[in-house]
Amino acid sequence: MLPKKIESVLNEQIEKEGYAAHLYLSMASWAETKGYAGISNWFYAQHKEEVEHMLKIIKYVNERGGHAIVPKIDQPPKKFDGVKQVFEASLEHEQMVTSSINNIVGICLKEQDFTTHNWIQWFVDEQLEEESSVQGILDKLNLIGDGNLYMFDRDIMGMRVEEGAE
Ligand code: FEO
């Protein structure tokens, strides 16, 4: 049986993953309206990943005898100041999610719920990967400076194809 405290923090995490999915969907839509096909494709793929994260937690909570609650999700920002800003906002969001996952790891240890502690390691690894992927994109953008965003957009389209995200 899932300890109540763990059930509660996992339900909070479901809401956070849902918000991340919404945020990336909004970023994808914004990029699409600006004509950035590669960037929008990248964020649509991110959206799908976040929905999967949310589902993974929902399934786990229910499997352990808890009740996963489908959350109300706030509306994310509609507009972004530019390509670099959108990726900076994405990195900032991932850092917030990482700290939330780390907090759950700590609570698992405190509650001696070693099953959830073991299960959540997948998210610990995933966060490392997500942060480093966005950081890699920001590094590229810094190299480009005010240069060719058309090439960058094509480049990022290739990245998702290679990763098999679409
Ligand atoms: Fe599911 Fe990107 O955090």
Side-chain angles (χ1 to χ4, degrees):
M1 192 73 182
L2 202 57
K4 280 285 160 207
K5 176 78 188 159
I6 303 287
E7 181 177 350
S8 157
V9 286
L10 287 179
N11 267 314
E12 284 169 23
Q13 192 62 32
I14 288 168
E15 194 269 334
K16 287 174 189 168
E17 302 292 343
Y19 181 77
H22 254 39
L23 177 63
Y24 292 149
L25 190 56
S26 185
M27 288 171 169
S29 179
W30 171 84
E32 200 162 45
T33 65
K34 300 287 173 198
Y36 297 120
I39 295 168
S40 107
N41 181 62
W42 195 88
F43 279 111
Y44 278 126
Q46 286 297 102
H47 160 74
K48 274 195 201 164
E49 279 193 23
E50 298 301 347
V51 170
E52 279 168 22
H53 294 172
M54 182 172 64
L55 283 174
K56 207 176 173 76
I57 305 172
I58 287 175
K59 297 274 184 189
Y60 178 77
V61 169
N62 290 339
E63 195 180 284
R64 291 280 316 277
H67 183 184
I69 308 298
V70 176
K72 173 177 178 290
I73 297 173
D74 289 341
Q75 183 176 30
K78 303 179 264 209
K79 288 185 184 162
F80 303 91
D81 292 335
V83 169
K84 194 171 169 202
Q85 288 75 8
V86 91
F87 282 104
E88 279 170 349
S90 168
L91 180 61
E92 205 174 295
H93 192 76
E94 287 306 327
Q95 287 165 340
M96 190 274 285
V97 173
T98 300
S99 99
S100 177
I101 295 289
N102 287 342
N103 181 49
I104 298 174
V105 172
I107 294 170
C108 287
L109 290 175
K110 208 169 151 211
E111 297 286 319
Q112 299 201 325
D113 181 354
F114 301 117
T115 308
T116 304
H117 181 266
N118 187 44
W119 170 82
I120 207 160
Q121 297 311 308
W122 182 89
F123 281 90
V124 173
D125 291 343
E126 179 72 6
Q127 282 313 118
L128 179 68
E129 201 181 291
E130 296 227 318
E131 277 192 36
S132 101
S133 148
V134 183
Q135 187 60 62
I137 290 170
L138 278 169
D139 291 345
K140 270 186 197 232
L141 280 169
N142 283 331
L143 280 174
I144 293 168
D146 293 328
N148 194 334
L149 277 174
Y150 174 75
M151 291 302 286
F152 170 80
D153 189 56
R154 281 184 45 179
D155 204 27
I156 197 170
M157 176 74 93
M159 275 171 66
R160 288 320 289 211
V161 172
E162 279 161 33
E163 286 171 20
E166 273 299 292

